[in-house]
Structure formats: structure tokens, C-alpha cells
């Protein structure tokens, strides 16, 4: 509410002064004039303070509206993040199921010859077991356990090899072995020496946000690659000759050009996964501009 400064009209003030001049002494008149001037100054100061208060109140109202806008944006961002988390969890569950199926299907496969990354060649090879970090293979010269990291690109792709998963699996095996205490029979009834308890392995340091996003990005790309290969197997004629970038599947022309409009059931699902990868990549580049 705006208020106008309160002032005494000039004519009224002059009339009052004329009446006072006839009734009071000059000294009293001068004192009344000074008092009137003082009161008028206070009125002016009060009016100025009121105007300033109104301006401050208007500024506070603007800030309050801005705060409410930011709060609404934050709530929407939190909701979007929750939806993305749920979608990622669902995709991760599907990928885990897909990976388990692939590894199970590998058991029993036979190869006349297997060429490993370290140069070894296994003849008449048959896969007997597949885990996150290694393969068990029966071959012409016996049985071998081969680390997936040292097997071959084709075997790693077929087994959905994940370095992070393999590292965690190897750590679990090491800790399990460290808890085992081998029993050694003593040839003579001598006092058994105390068995030293192995020191526990140092806990792995908490992953930084960059490492967590890199792991999430790798998993999302593996999911997209697996989904594409499954779709290509069902639509081999429609997708024959299509270029696919396995290292950066989100950049594949199938998902980023007019070729993505092919009438193939499932392309839209691949594009949803592509969008999730792009969102993760954007978050990663905000922390690490060199990330790809």
C-alpha cells in the first residue's frame, strides 16, 4: 500500500501563523516554527522509510518466487533421476539374465582349434565351465583354466566379459582362499606351532563419482550391444549390412540417422538405451571433460 507524504497546505499554515502572531510573542512564534519544521522533517523521513520498506518487501517477494521456481525444478530433477535409476536397474537385471543365458549356452561348445591371446593353441577344445573371470576348457592335451582377459576377443564378447566384474570375482576368490587354514598332519607328536592368521586384504577404496559413472557407462554399452545382437539375430535380413559401433554403440548410424526409422520391432528400445547412455556420458563429461 503506497502512502503519500503528509504536508500542511501553505494557505492553512499561513493562516495559523497569522493567528499565532497576534496571540503569541515573537520568541514563542520562532520556537513553534522550529518545532513545526522538526515535525515536518520527521514526517518526510517516515515517508521515505515507508517507501524503502515497500521496495524491500517487493524484492523479497521476487526472491520468494524465484525460490519456489528452483524448488519445483529440483523436485522435477529428483523425479527424473528416480525414473532413470529405475530404468537402469531394470536394464541391469535384464542384462544379468541375458549374460547368464549366454554363458550357459557356451558350455559344451567345441572348437577344432582355439587361438588364445597369449599365443597358445588348444586343439579339440570343449568349454566345460564359464564364470565371470575364467573358462574351463577340455582339450587334446588335458584340461586348462583360461582367464577370460587372456582368452580371445570372440570368447570375451560371447561371455559378456566385464573387467570390473572379473576383478570383483578374483577378489572374492582371494579372500576365500585367505580364510582357509590347511591342515598338515605332524609326523611326530610335537607341540604344534601356532598357525599365523593371514592379515585381511585391505578394503577396496570407495569409488569416485567418475569411476562409478565409467562403470555405469560400460554396463550400459554392454547392454545396448547385447540388445542389438539379439535384435539382429531376429531380423537378419532387415539389418544386414548395417554399420554398428561396438565400442561406442550410442554413436551407431542405426540410432542416429534416418536409418533408425526402419520398420524393425525393437529399434525404439535401442534408442531408449542410447538416450540413457548419452545422459550418463554428459554427467561424466561434466566431471571429466576428456571422457568418451
Amino acid at each position: 500500500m503506497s502512502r503519500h507524504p503528509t504536508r500542511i497546505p501553505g494557505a492553512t499554515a499561513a493562516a495559523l501563523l497569522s493567528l499565532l502572531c497576534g496571540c503569541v510573542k515573537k520568541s514563542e512564534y520562532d520556537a513553534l516554527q522550529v518545532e513545526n519544521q522538526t515535525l515536518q522533517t520527521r514526517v518526510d523521513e517516515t515517508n521515505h522509510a515507508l517507501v524503502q520498506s515497500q521496495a524491500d518487501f517487493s524484492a523479497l517477494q521476487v526472491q520468494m518466487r524465484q525460490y519456489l521456481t528452483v524448488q519445483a525444478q529440483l523436485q522435477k530433477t529428483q523425479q527424473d533421476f528416480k525414473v532413470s535409476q529405475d530404468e537402469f536397474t531394470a536394464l541391469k537385471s535384464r542384462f544379468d539374465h541375458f549374460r547368464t543365458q549366454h554363458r550357459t549356452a557356451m558350455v559344451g561348445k567345441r572348437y577344432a582349434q582355439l587361438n588364445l591371446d597369449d599365443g597358445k593353441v588348444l586343439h579339440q577344445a570343449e568349454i566345460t565351465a564359464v564364470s565371470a573371470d575364467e573358462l574351463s576348457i577340455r582339450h587334446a592335451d588335458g584340461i586348462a583354466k583360461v582367464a577370460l582377459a587372456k582368452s580371445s576377443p570372440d570368447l570375451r564378447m560371447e561371455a559378456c566379459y566385464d573387467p570390473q566384474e572379473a576383478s570383483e570375482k578374483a577378489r572374492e576368490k582371494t579372500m576365500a582362499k585367505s580364510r582357509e587354514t590347511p591342515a598338515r598332519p605332524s609326523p611326530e607328536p610335537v607341540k604344534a606351532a601356532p598357525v599365523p592368521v593371514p592379515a585381511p586384504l585391505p578394503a577396496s577404496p570407495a569409488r569416485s563419482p567418475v569411476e562409478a559413472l565409467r562403470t555405469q557407462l560400460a554396463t550400459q554399452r554392454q547392454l545396448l550391444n547385447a540388445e542389438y545382437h539379439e535384435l539382429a539375430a531376429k531380423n537378419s535380413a532387415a539389418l544386414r549390412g548395417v554399420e554398428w559401433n561396438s565400442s561406442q554403440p550410442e554413436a551407431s548410424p542405426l540410432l542416429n540417422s534416418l536409418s533408425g526409422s526402419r520398420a524393425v520391432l525393437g529399434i525404439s528400445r535401442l534408442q531408449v538405451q542410447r538416450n540413457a547412455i548419452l545422459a550418463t556420458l554428459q554427467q561424466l563429461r561434466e566431471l571429466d571433460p576428456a571422457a568418451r
Side-chain angles (χ1 to χ4, degrees), residues 72-145:
Q73 291 174 347
L74 177 60
Q75 290 176 346
K76 185 178 183 305
T77 301
Q78 289 174 334
Q79 291 173 354
D80 293 343
F81 179 71
K82 179 64 168 57
V83 171
S84 298
Q85 273 190 323
D86 293 341
E87 290 178 352
F88 175 74
T89 300
L91 287 173
K92 181 68 166 58
S93 177
R94 289 182 57 196
F95 174 70
D96 290 342
H97 179 68
F98 172 84
R99 180 171 56 191
T100 300
Q101 286 182 323
H102 262 239
R103 289 175 180 173
T104 301
M106 290 178 68
V107 176
K109 279 195 174 183
R110 298 182 179 182
Y111 304 85
Q113 178 177 301
L114 269 181
N115 299 315
L116 305 181
D117 284 354
D118 60 2
K120 289 184 180 180
V121 180
L122 304 180
H123 299 280
Q124 302 302 320
E126 179 185 356
I127 297 177
T128 58
V130 182
S131 67
D133 61 335
E134 67 180 10
L135 300 167
S136 294
I137 303 175
R138 183 186 296 115
H139 56 98
D141 298 325
I143 297 176
K145 287 187 178 293

Side-chain angles (χ1 to χ4, degrees), residues 96-234:
D96 290 342
H97 179 68
F98 172 84
R99 180 171 56 191
T100 300
Q101 286 182 323
H102 262 239
R103 289 175 180 173
T104 301
M106 290 178 68
V107 176
K109 279 195 174 183
R110 298 182 179 182
Y111 304 85
Q113 178 177 301
L114 269 181
N115 299 315
L116 305 181
D117 284 354
D118 60 2
K120 289 184 180 180
V121 180
L122 304 180
H123 299 280
Q124 302 302 320
E126 179 185 356
I127 297 177
T128 58
V130 182
S131 67
D133 61 335
E134 67 180 10
L135 300 167
S136 294
I137 303 175
R138 183 186 296 115
H139 56 98
D141 298 325
I143 297 176
K145 287 187 178 293
V146 179
L148 269 172
K150 298 180 181 179
S151 57
S152 70
D154 290 340
L155 288 174
R156 286 193 289 272
M157 176 65 72
E158 192 171 0
C160 301
Y161 173 67
D162 179 5
Q164 182 69 27
E165 183 195 18
S167 176
E168 291 176 358
K169 185 70 174 178
R171 188 183 301 115
E172 289 174 4
K173 289 181 179 179
T174 301
M175 295 184 69
K177 288 181 180 178
S178 70
R179 289 192 292 266
E180 295 176 358
T181 305
R184 295 184 178 180
S186 177
E188 298 179 3
V190 296
K191 184 176 180 181
V195 179
V197 178
L201 293 175
S204 58
R207 291 188 296 173
S208 67
V210 172
E211 292 173 343
L213 286 173
R214 287 187 185 279
T215 300
Q216 178 174 320
L217 181 63
T219 302
Q220 288 175 318
R221 283 173 170 169
Q222 288 180 344
L223 282 166
L224 181 54
N225 278 326
E227 189 79 22
Y228 167 74
H229 289 304
E230 184 177 352
L231 184 64
K234 295 178 181 178

Side-chain angles (χ1 to χ4, degrees), residues 1 32 56 68 88 97 113 136 141 159 192 245 250-251 271 278 284 290:
M1 179 188 301
L32 288 173
D56 292 343
L68 294 175
F88 175 74
H97 179 68
Q113 178 177 301
S136 294
D141 298 325
N245 186 347
E250 70 277 6
Q271 290 171 335
L278 294 178
L284 179 58

